[in-house]
Each structure stands twice: as structure tokens, then as C-alpha cells.
Amino acid sequence: MKVQTHSSLHNLLDNRMDNRTFKFYCEHAKNVPNSYCQLQKINGREVMIGGKKLINFNAINYLGLESHPEMIESAQQAIAKWGTLAGSARAAAELDLFQTLEKRLADWLGVDDVMVFTTVTLANHGIIPLLMRTGSLLLTDQEVHNSVQRSAIEAKGAGATLRNFKHDDFAQLERLLVEQRRLHDHCMIALDGVYSMQGTYLNLPAYEAIAKQYDCSLYIDDAHGFGVIGPQGRGIVAHHGSDYDNKIYVASLEKGLASLGGFAVIPAGSRDYFKYNSYTYTFAGQLPPPYLASSLTALDILEREGDLRVQRLNGLIHRVKQEVTEMGFEIVGEDNPFPLVMVKIGGMSDIPRVSQYFFDQGIHILAVGFPVVPLSHGAMVRISLSAIHTDQQVDQLMDAFRGLSAHMKQGQAA
Ligand SMILES: Cc1ncc(COP(=O)(O)O)c(C=O)c1O
């Protein structure tokens, strides 16, 4: 682990790596076969890892559009037409496909304007610190995605006051607002649309009420919700039958749509402000042609068969939740249909053995613990379902869960 030669950079790295938590995770990751592993092949929901075929319950392209013939064809045609890359930052020139996709997304959601970014992470970094600066109060739910938290730290560096509140702790949020709101010119509350490690949907009506009462805006990162929840997969805001007023809504083209990129719904008339000021929009590498084209195709498919795919997915979610619960496992999260099913499986020290067990059973699945999930949840297995899992593949998963309790008991007895 120690770096041998000692430049000042090596000294710095030695210092950073001489850290108990880092060493623990490093050691730990090596003993967890379903983590940081290399995929040698993908065929639908079958993957090859270390020469072994496994069923993939670890992919978050929930509708399974990545292998849809129309998606592949549109990506191939885009490369044939444009090449692999436009080759410039958007400040210089962008493919006109951006305009087509942004207009299409805006129409799809029924909003005034949408800006596409290269990833959701870049959207968060490009927007949050731009809006939240000196005189701003930024309140973040402590379970928001890491990229929102990091963007919030950037906002703090730009002069904003940053406070975290416990997940959905409305009493704490109100205390912060009573204390801090009057000291600041504006306030934004940053939230996830779906908390993917808890399987819970955002309680949007409650946050809208608070935002109204204390004159705040909402920032919603719905990376996981867009494409799979709400009518025709239109996401968390549509799920609650609400609108985009007083909100920045950010979502992913990667998960439900099986493409790449992120986008933000922005208020009418604000495009130029974001365009000329958001460094991740202006100067980051732009999305390559196949992803712009396949995002458009994914929207076509969603329009045509999105409901059918979501129905199939919801059927699998229902089945898995019911059977796993009947086996005596505890599922974390509300009873909303969401394709990530979080199952408690023991303590942190069980993670390597559980991961190895599933691997041996031919299942590629994520076993996680703190800090990815709250410490109180112990270790959890995250089942990631998709509309293209076959019934037989889910049978095999359920068989593995059936054998898990006995396997854990054997381990304890040994
Ligand atoms: C809520 C949320 N935001 C942002 C991201 C990062 O998205 P991207 O890979 O597009 O940067 C993720 C990734 O899973 C996420 O779950």
C-alpha cells in the first residue's frame, strides 16, 4: 500500500492513505466479490464476472432499454452521422441534437425550459453553487445524493450558509428556518426525488408547504425517479400531481432511459443566465452523439410502451417484496413501487460472506453498509429489478434468498 519514492505528492498520498477508515474499506472491498468487479460480458440481465455467468441484480437501467434494438440503431446511426464526438465545449459549439432533446424533454414534462448536462453530477455542480452564494441559505436533507452534498459544499465556499437536517425531520427543518431564514436573502431546500438507498419517495407536498411558509425554493434531484415513477415515468413531481413552479428539478437520462446525461428544468427566461454562468454546462465535455440520439429514442419508446414496462417492473417489485418478507427478511422503505428493494441482512461484518454467497449462487447483487446506508440499518442487500428480468431469473434470486438464512446460521455456528 505504501508508495515507495517520496516526492511531495507521494508524501501527501502516504498521509491520506494512512487512515483507518480507508484501510478498512480497501481491505473490505477486496473480500466482496460483487463490488468493484469487472464485467466481461453483458447479455440482457446476464453478466460475466471472472469467467462466471451471473444474473445481474445490480443494474439501475430499470426499464432495460439499453439492449432495445431501436436504442442501438439510433446510437449507431448517430455515430455514423456525427462521429463519436463533437469535439468542443458547448461555449464554442454544440450539436443541434441538444436543442431537439431539450425541447422534447420540456414538452414531455409540460415545462417551459430544460437544459441538458453531461451528467446529473455536473448539473448539480453547475446549478447549486451558482444560485447559492453570499446571502443564501442552503438546507440539505442529510440523505441527499453525494453529488448534491458536494455541490452544497461548493456553495458554502461561494459564501452560502449551509445546514443539514436529518432525513425528513420537519421539526428540525422548521427550527433551522425559524433561526436562519430572516438572516438570509433567499433559501433553497435540496432534496432527492427518490432516496435510492431507502426506497422512499420524496414527501413533496410537505416540503412545498414549508417552502411556501418560509419563502424558499426547492431543489429536487430525481435521478432515480424519472422514467420509472409517476404517470408514464414522468417522475416524482408528476407522481404527486404537482408542478415545477419555484423548483429546480434535476433528473437522469441514464437510469430509466438507459442513456447518459442529466437535465434540469429551469424557470422561463433563465436559460441565458445558466448558459453563460454555469461552468459545467459551458466548459465540460458535451454529451456524445449516440447518447443524445438514444435519449430521444428512449422517450419515443417510453411514450409507446413505457406504461407496459413499468407495469411489468411493478409486478416484479411486488413479487420480490412479498416473497422476501414472507421468508422473514425485513425490507427497508415505504411500500411504494420502486425497483431498488433494500433488504436487511445482518451487521457490517456479514457483508463479505453475504456477497460471496450470492456470487456463488450466480447472483450479482450489491451488499452495502454504512456510510452508504444509515448505521442503524446494519448491512443490506440492494436488489435492483428491471422490466427485462425474466421470471426464471427472479426465481433464482428468490431461491438464493431462501438459502441465505441457513447459510448465515451455518456461518455463526462455525
Ligand atoms: C440522486 C442521484 N443524483 C445524482 C447521481 C449521479 O448521476 P450521474 O451519474 O449522472 O452523475 C445519482 C447516481 O446514481 C443519484 O442517485
Side-chain angles (χ1 to χ4, degrees), residues 137-370:
L137 173 63
L138 177 58
L139 302 174
T140 58
D141 185 301
Q142 70 179 22
E143 298 296 332
V144 286
H145 189 260
N146 194 268
S147 59
V148 175
Q149 293 183 17
R150 297 286 169 157
S151 307
I153 291 169
E154 211 177 311
K156 190 177 169 187
T161 303
L162 171 62
R163 293 283 185 278
N164 263 303
F165 56 94
K166 285 200 198 101
H167 178 55
D168 275 355
D169 187 336
F170 293 103
Q172 190 191 5
L173 176 59
E174 285 222 55
R175 275 200 303 279
L176 284 169
L177 283 164
V178 168
E179 217 175 78
Q180 295 284 335
R181 179 65 188 93
R182 70 199 148 77
L183 307 176
H184 295 86
D185 302 330
H186 21 79
C187 172
M188 185 177 258
I189 306 173
L191 307 156
D192 276 5
V194 178
Y195 290 85
S196 61
M197 287 297 166
Q198 323 224 12
T200 54
Y201 289 11
L202 175 68
N203 183 351
L204 186 59
Y207 284 102
E208 282 177 335
I210 285 201
K212 191 166 176 205
Q213 187 180 345
Y214 292 93
D215 186 24
C216 311
S217 53
L218 298 179
Y219 188 93
I220 301 170
D221 179 343
D222 195 26
H224 283 273
F226 183 72
V228 287
I229 70 168
Q232 280 185 301
R234 285 179 164 83
I236 190 71
V237 176
H239 167 79
H240 286 289
S242 188
D243 58 38
Y244 296 84
D245 190 33
N246 197 33
K247 299 176 181 80
I248 300 280
Y249 172 84
V250 174
S252 176
L253 301 168
E254 180 191 357
K255 297 175 172 60
L257 273 58
S259 185
L260 181 71
F263 70 88
V265 171
I266 52 165
S270 64
R271 169 168 282 266
D272 281 352
Y273 180 71
F274 288 105
K275 182 170 162 182
Y276 296 122
N277 289 293
S278 170
Y279 73 101
T280 60
Y281 175 90
T282 309
F283 299 118
Q286 60 180 275
L287 269 180
Y291 299 106
L292 292 163
S294 59
S295 293
L296 282 161
T297 305
L299 290 169
D300 287 341
I301 299 171
L302 269 191
E303 218 153 52
R304 242 182 20 235
E305 52 187 81
D307 282 341
L308 268 181
R309 283 180 180 254
V310 170
Q311 237 174 51
R312 163 74 186 159
L313 185 56
N314 287 349
L316 292 180
I317 296 166
H318 180 72
R319 174 186 167 191
V320 165
K321 281 186 164 178
Q322 186 170 349
E323 291 188 25
V324 167
T325 311
E326 281 166 7
M327 287 175 215
F329 290 99
E330 185 187 340
I331 289 173
V332 172
E334 299 149 0
D335 203 17
N336 280 319
F338 188 62
L340 296 178
V341 180
M342 303 296 296
V343 187
K344 281 194 182 179
I345 45 102
M348 289 280 283
S349 58
D350 293 315
I351 292 175
R353 194 153 52 91
V354 168
S355 184
Q356 184 67 53
Y357 167 80
F358 278 108
F359 189 83
D360 294 342
Q361 298 290 313
I363 305 283
H364 176 45
I365 201 164
L366 200 62
V368 291
F370 183 78

Side-chain angles (χ1 to χ4, degrees), residues 32-99:
V32 178
N34 283 311
S35 275
Y36 292 96
C37 52
Q38 311 238 307
L39 298 176
Q40 297 160 319
K41 224 186 238 178
I42 301 182
N43 176 18
R45 280 299 175 268
E46 209 175 78
V47 288
M48 187 172 282
I49 299 172
K52 181 179 163 79
K53 267 191 196 166
L54 297 115
I55 304 168
N56 192 1
F57 286 99
N58 199 11
I60 49 174
N61 22 359
Y62 306 121
L63 299 179
L65 297 186
E66 73 284 354
S67 51
H68 196 295
E70 287 174 39
M71 292 284 282
I72 292 170
E73 198 189 329
S74 73
Q76 284 171 339
Q77 279 179 3
I79 291 183
K81 177 171 175 189
W82 299 98
T84 55
L85 199 68
S88 59
R90 289 170 85 179
E94 66 179 31
L95 297 172
D96 64 12
L97 278 173
F98 274 100
Q99 245 185 38

Side-chain angles (χ1 to χ4, degrees), residues 376-408:
S376 58
H377 289 354
M380 308 224 271
V381 166
R382 187 180 82 166
I383 307 170
S384 183
L385 293 164
S386 87
I388 58 164
H389 275 116
T390 64
D391 290 340
Q392 292 71 27
Q393 288 173 329
V394 176
D395 289 345
Q396 193 171 326
L397 175 72
M398 292 299 94
D399 286 344
F401 266 99
R402 256 175 227 109
L404 179 62
S405 301
H407 178 76
M408 302 277 282

Side-chain angles (χ1 to χ4, degrees), residues 108-138:
W108 172 253
L109 290 175
V111 296
D112 289 311
D113 208 354
V114 158
M115 289 177 90
V116 167
F117 288 76
T118 309
T119 62
V120 178
T121 301
L122 289 174
N124 291 337
H125 278 276
I127 297 172
I128 294 173
L130 182 61
L131 294 179
M132 296 283 100
R133 312 191 141 216
T134 306
S136 308
L137 173 63
L138 177 58

